[in-house]
Amino acid sequence: MKLAWKELKYNWKKYLLVEIIVVLMMFMVLFLSGLVRGLGSAVSSGVENMSADSFILSDDAEKLLTVSNLTSDEYEAVKKEYGSSAAPIDIQRMYLQKDKDSDKLDVTYFAIDPQSFLNPEVVEGQKLGDEENSIVLDDDFKSKGIAVGDTVLDSASGISLQVVGFAKDAMYGHVSVGYISTDTYASIMKEVNPMYQESVHAAAIQGSTGSGISGTQSYTRAEIIQAIPGYQAEQMTITMVEWLLVVITALIIGIFFFVINLQKEKEFGVLKAIGTGMGSLMGMILCQVILIAVCGAVIAAALVAVMSAALPATMPFSLDAGQVALVLCAFVLISILGSLATVIRVAGIDPAKIIGGDFQ
């Protein structure tokens, strides 16, 4: 370690350049990691943050909440079997307006029973109650100039909705969620379609589901999230790019050290000639790699954390400590593996050739 540190200090300009490259590339990797989680949250957080473990859908819904449709008999059978552990949910993409002349704002209604476990916690205002035509919005709507106590307009039905609170991280399919009661949802749908017949898209269940009810199929929350259109393709693509960059960045460290140590073969030959063991030389090389990799990773993580705090709320970016730790540990490990080529090269140096001047 002492020899490694002396070498780093002596050639600090050369190693500083390597460190800067590592910091920049790891910053990009961690930014992508936050983007992966942020985009995933923008697609699924409305479902992911529900206090439900599974969902019961119609058997032809193919795991999609928005296309499921439970009949009255099917939902009554669900309620009879699960009691208060079951709650209805309807999901509908619509538009809101601050007033008749303002621009339309995308919203995904989550119609729930306010007395059920699906009623979300709020970060401002109060939770959804039984008051007629009230709504709890995702806090992203605050950036659009909406505040608690405001009245917004459902653009399709013309029904006015009173904003009573804001929830956090409530998105579905990249659209912010608005929580309304099942009665309010029925009123909106009847205004839009006079022939509307009340039904339930799905039933959310706390705990595991049993053998199933005729005409229905149960799925875990994870299965429902995976089935949201675009979720898997988006996550797989960006995650692949993220891990590819981890490997490339780690290998760049290995290549830099290989080239740097290639220029020092005479020095290594002399060290071996005066009795320095291969274990000591290998320890020096690995210590240098670990110091460069760990320092670069820590600095990059700190920069990303600062940037995350400065990003606007509309930016789909979210850092997960566990994921960041996994990426950093993988990066350091791959960096060490990438440096083994340097160790093998140094191990093959013949001191006699170096001292005798027969160096090629």
Side-chain angles (χ1 to χ4, degrees), residues 93-107:
R93 174 84 173 266
M94 301 286 276
Y95 296 98
L96 290 178
Q97 293 175 278
K98 292 181 67 177
D99 53 62
K100 289 184 178 180
D101 298 323
S102 63
D103 294 334
K104 293 181 179 180
L105 305 173
D106 287 322
V107 66

Side-chain angles (χ1 to χ4, degrees), residues 185-197:
Y185 176 73
S187 299
I188 291 173
M189 298 311 294
K190 286 176 182 177
E191 285 292 328
V192 175
N193 178 16
M195 303 298 292
Y196 171 76
Q197 294 182 343

